[in-house]
Amino acid sequence: MEIYEIIYKDIEEVENGEEIVKKVFGKCFEEEGLQDSKLCITVTFTNPENIQKINQEYRNIDKPTDVLSFPMFQKEELDKKIQEKEFQYQDILGDIVISIPKVEEQAKEYGHSFERELSYMLVHGFYHLMGYDHMEEEDKKEMRTKEEKILKTLNILR
């Protein structure tokens, strides 16, 4: 049973995309003790035009972005389900939408590999699905620590 589904919307298949998704989400699930949870994440790789439409529709922000996350559970609800191992067959943890051209652009801008930038977007999206955010400095620090731990463990460095 796969822990993810990849959808390509108006974009060509990403070289090594499935490998990267599998490796990153595998480590995220392991780190959070979700290996047997039956949870699944849908990842859509798309272009700036599509992500801008989604951003406008769901967040009322009329501009493209790099990654959007749509969790299916509130953090408290998810924490309870994890603690009680109360998942149905193939529950959806949520959806992540990533603009591949933006990932390519940011990888160049930050001077690291496409794999590193895509991996970061996946981990970042995953932790949003887990109920974390970065609006308050303390929350941001907690989320960044979790993200960096996953990337470091996978040896995906800056």
Side-chain angles (χ1 to χ4, degrees):
M1 172 178 64
E2 293 295 338
I3 58 175
Y4 62 88
E5 174 187 15
I6 300 174
I7 298 168
Y8 290 92
K9 176 130 176 73
D10 300 327
I11 196 162
E12 289 186 25
E13 206 164 295
V14 175
E15 188 177 338
N16 299 325
E18 185 160 351
E19 243 175 68
I20 295 168
V21 170
K22 184 176 187 174
K23 177 171 64 172
V24 169
F25 284 163
K27 185 52 70 181
C28 288
F29 272 60
E30 181 184 311
E31 180 67 25
E32 297 300 326
L34 299 175
Q35 305 93 310
D36 300 322
S37 66
K38 300 183 181 110
L39 287 169
C40 180
I41 299 171
T42 301
V43 180
T44 301
F45 292 141
T46 193
N47 59 35
E49 297 78 23
N50 285 331
I51 208 165
Q52 182 170 347
K53 287 178 195 166
I54 296 166
N55 208 13
Q56 171 63 41
E57 183 176 343
Y58 292 97
R59 299 180 64 227
N60 209 26
I61 300 174
D62 191 19
K63 65 179 191 175
T65 188
D66 48 9
V67 60
L68 292 171
S69 303
F70 299 96
M72 293 299 288
F73 303 100
Q74 296 293 325
K75 184 162 182 13
E76 299 73 28
E77 178 187 14
L78 183 60
D79 289 346
K80 183 176 183 245
K81 282 179 164 286
I82 291 169
Q83 186 177 32
E84 296 174 4
K85 298 187 184 322
E86 168 194 312
F87 292 100
Q88 302 303 314
Y89 176 74
Q90 209 64 22
D91 266 346
I92 304 293
L93 182 58
D95 299 301
I96 299 173
V97 183
I98 298 175
S99 171
I100 294 302
K102 189 71 172 166
V103 171
E104 292 167 344
E105 177 188 313
Q106 289 176 178
K108 287 179 189 154
E109 182 183 327
Y110 300 137
H112 52 243
S113 69
F114 174 82
E115 178 186 6
R116 197 294 180 191
E117 188 65 17
L118 179 58
S119 297
Y120 175 75
M121 291 296 131
L122 291 164
V123 173
H124 186 77
F126 172 81
Y127 278 108
H128 274 308
L129 298 184
M130 292 293 294
Y132 293 88
D133 70 43
H134 42 82
M135 302 307 277
E136 302 295 329
E137 197 55 41
E138 192 174 308
D139 297 334
K140 181 178 181 178
K141 187 176 178 185
E142 181 180 17
M143 187 172 177
R144 293 289 182 264
T145 300
K146 287 181 166 291
E147 293 167 346
E148 291 302 325
K149 182 177 183 185
I150 297 290
L151 296 172
K152 187 176 180 184
T153 303
L154 292 170
N155 201 30
I156 302 173
L157 308 171
R158 293 180 187 263

Coordinates of all heavy atoms in Angstrom, one line a residue, residues 1-3 25-26 28-40 81-91:
M1 N 0.9 -1.2 0.0 CA 0.0 0.0 0.0 C 0.9 1.2 0.0 O 1.8 1.4 0.8 CB -0.9 0.0 1.2 CG -1.7 1.2 1.4 SD -2.8 1.2 2.9 CE -1.6 1.0 4.2
E2 N 0.7 2.1 -0.9 CA 1.5 3.3 -1.0 C 1.0 4.4 -0.1 O -0.2 4.5 0.2 CB 1.4 3.9 -2.5 CG 2.0 3.0 -3.5 CD 3.5 2.9 -3.3 OE1 4.2 3.7 -2.7 OE2 4.1 1.9 -3.8
I3 N 1.9 5.2 0.4 CA 1.6 6.3 1.3 C 1.4 7.6 0.6 O 1.2 8.7 1.2 CB 2.6 6.5 2.4 CG1 4.0 6.7 1.8 CG2 2.6 5.2 3.3 CD1 5.1 7.0 2.9
F25 N 8.7 11.0 2.1 CA 7.5 10.7 2.8 C 7.8 9.4 3.7 O 7.3 9.3 4.8 CB 6.3 10.5 2.0 CG 5.7 11.8 1.5 CD1 4.8 11.8 0.4 CD2 6.0 13.0 2.1 CE1 4.3 12.9 -0.1 CE2 5.4 14.2 1.6 CZ 4.6 14.1 0.5
G26 N 8.6 8.5 3.2 CA 8.9 7.3 4.0 C 9.6 7.7 5.3 O 9.2 7.2 6.4
C28 N 9.5 10.7 6.7 CA 8.5 11.5 7.5 C 7.6 10.6 8.3 O 7.3 10.8 9.5 CB 7.7 12.4 6.6 SG 8.6 13.9 5.9
F29 N 7.0 9.6 7.6 CA 6.1 8.7 8.2 C 6.8 7.9 9.3 O 6.3 7.7 10.4 CB 5.5 7.7 7.2 CG 4.3 8.2 6.5 CD1 4.3 9.4 5.8 CD2 3.1 7.5 6.6 CE1 3.1 9.8 5.2 CE2 1.9 7.9 6.0 CZ 1.9 9.1 5.3
E30 N 8.1 7.5 9.1 CA 8.9 6.8 10.1 C 9.1 7.7 11.3 O 8.9 7.3 12.4 CB 10.2 6.4 9.5 CG 11.1 5.6 10.4 CD 12.4 5.3 9.7 OE1 12.5 4.8 8.6 OE2 13.5 5.6 10.4
E31 N 9.5 8.9 11.1 CA 9.8 9.9 12.1 C 8.6 10.1 13.0 O 8.7 10.3 14.2 CB 10.4 11.2 11.5 CG 10.7 12.2 12.6 CD 11.9 11.9 13.4 OE1 12.8 11.1 13.0 OE2 12.0 12.4 14.6
E32 N 7.4 10.2 12.4 CA 6.2 10.5 13.2 C 5.4 9.3 13.6 O 4.3 9.4 14.1 CB 5.3 11.4 12.3 CG 5.9 12.8 12.0 CD 6.3 13.6 13.3 OE1 5.6 13.5 14.3 OE2 7.3 14.3 13.3
G33 N 6.0 8.1 13.4 CA 5.4 6.8 13.8 C 4.1 6.5 13.1 O 3.2 5.9 13.6
L34 N 4.1 6.8 11.8 CA 2.9 6.6 11.0 C 2.9 5.5 10.0 O 2.1 5.3 9.2 CB 2.6 7.9 10.2 CG 2.3 9.2 11.0 CD1 2.1 10.4 10.1 CD2 1.1 9.0 11.9
Q35 N 4.0 4.6 10.1 CA 4.2 3.6 9.1 C 2.9 2.7 8.9 O 2.6 2.3 7.8 CB 5.4 2.7 9.4 CG 6.7 3.4 9.6 CD 7.0 3.7 11.1 OE1 6.1 4.3 11.8 NE2 8.2 3.4 11.5
D36 N 2.3 2.4 10.0 CA 1.1 1.5 10.0 C -0.2 2.2 10.0 O -1.3 1.6 10.3 CB 1.2 0.5 11.1 CG 2.5 -0.4 11.0 OD1 2.9 -0.7 9.9 OD2 3.1 -0.6 12.1
S37 N -0.2 3.5 9.7 CA -1.4 4.3 9.9 C -2.4 4.2 8.8 O -3.6 4.6 8.9 CB -1.0 5.8 10.1 OG -0.5 6.3 8.9
K38 N -2.0 3.7 7.6 CA -2.9 3.6 6.5 C -3.2 5.0 5.9 O -4.1 5.2 5.1 CB -4.2 2.9 6.7 CG -4.0 1.5 7.2 CD -5.4 0.8 7.4 CE -5.2 -0.6 7.9 NZ -5.6 -0.8 9.2
L39 N -2.4 6.0 6.3 CA -2.6 7.4 5.8 C -2.0 7.5 4.4 O -1.0 6.9 4.1 CB -2.0 8.4 6.7 CG -2.7 8.7 8.0 CD1 -1.9 9.5 9.0 CD2 -4.1 9.3 7.8
C40 N -2.6 8.4 3.6 CA -2.1 8.6 2.2 C -2.1 10.1 2.0 O -3.0 10.8 2.4 CB -3.0 7.9 1.2 SG -2.5 8.1 -0.5
K81 N -6.0 10.6 16.8 CA -6.1 9.4 15.9 C -4.8 8.6 15.9 O -4.8 7.4 15.9 CB -6.4 9.8 14.5 CG -7.9 10.2 14.2 CD -8.1 10.6 12.8 CE -9.5 10.5 12.4 NZ -10.1 9.2 12.2
I82 N -3.7 9.4 15.9 CA -2.3 8.7 15.9 C -2.2 8.0 17.2 O -1.8 6.8 17.3 CB -1.2 9.8 15.7 CG1 -1.3 10.3 14.3 CG2 0.1 9.2 16.0 CD1 -0.4 11.5 14.0
Q83 N -2.5 8.6 18.3 CA -2.3 8.0 19.7 C -3.2 6.8 19.8 O -2.7 5.8 20.3 CB -2.7 9.1 20.7 CG -2.4 8.6 22.1 CD -2.8 9.7 23.2 OE1 -3.7 10.5 23.0 NE2 -2.0 9.7 24.2
E84 N -4.4 6.8 19.3 CA -5.3 5.7 19.4 C -5.3 4.7 18.2 O -6.0 3.8 18.2 CB -6.7 6.2 19.6 CG -6.9 7.0 20.9 CD -8.2 7.7 21.1 OE1 -9.1 7.5 20.2 OE2 -8.4 8.5 22.1
K85 N -4.4 5.0 17.3 CA -4.3 4.2 16.1 C -5.6 4.0 15.4 O -6.0 2.8 15.1 CB -3.6 2.9 16.4 CG -2.1 3.1 16.9 CD -1.4 1.8 17.0 CE 0.0 1.9 17.5 NZ 0.8 2.9 17.2
E86 N -6.4 5.0 15.3 CA -7.8 5.0 14.9 C -8.0 5.5 13.4 O -8.7 6.4 13.1 CB -8.6 5.9 15.8 CG -10.0 6.2 15.5 CD -10.5 7.3 16.4 OE1 -10.3 7.3 17.6 OE2 -11.0 8.3 15.8
F87 N -7.3 4.8 12.5 CA -7.4 5.2 11.1 C -8.2 4.1 10.3 O -8.1 3.0 10.5 CB -6.0 5.3 10.4 CG -5.3 6.5 11.0 CD1 -4.3 6.3 12.0 CD2 -5.6 7.8 10.6 CE1 -3.6 7.4 12.5 CE2 -4.9 8.9 11.1 CZ -3.9 8.7 12.1
Q88 N -9.0 4.6 9.3 CA -9.7 3.8 8.4 C -8.8 3.4 7.3 O -7.7 4.0 7.1 CB -10.9 4.5 7.9 CG -11.9 5.0 8.9 CD -12.4 4.0 9.8 OE1 -12.8 2.9 9.3 NE2 -12.4 4.2 11.1
Y89 N -9.2 2.4 6.5 CA -8.3 2.0 5.4 C -8.1 3.2 4.5 O -9.1 3.8 4.0 CB -9.0 0.9 4.6 CG -8.3 0.5 3.4 CD1 -7.1 -0.2 3.5 CD2 -8.7 0.9 2.1 CE1 -6.4 -0.6 2.4 CE2 -8.0 0.5 1.0 CZ -6.8 -0.2 1.1 OH -6.1 -0.5 0.0
Q90 N -6.9 3.5 4.3 CA -6.4 4.6 3.3 C -7.1 5.9 3.6 O -7.6 6.6 2.7 CB -6.7 4.1 1.9 CG -5.8 4.7 0.9 CD -4.3 4.2 1.1 OE1 -4.1 3.2 1.6 NE2 -3.4 5.0 0.5
D91 N -7.0 6.4 4.9 CA -7.4 7.8 5.2 C -6.5 8.7 4.5 O -5.3 8.5 4.3 CB -7.3 8.0 6.7 CG -8.6 7.8 7.4 OD1 -9.7 7.7 6.8 OD2 -8.6 7.7 8.7

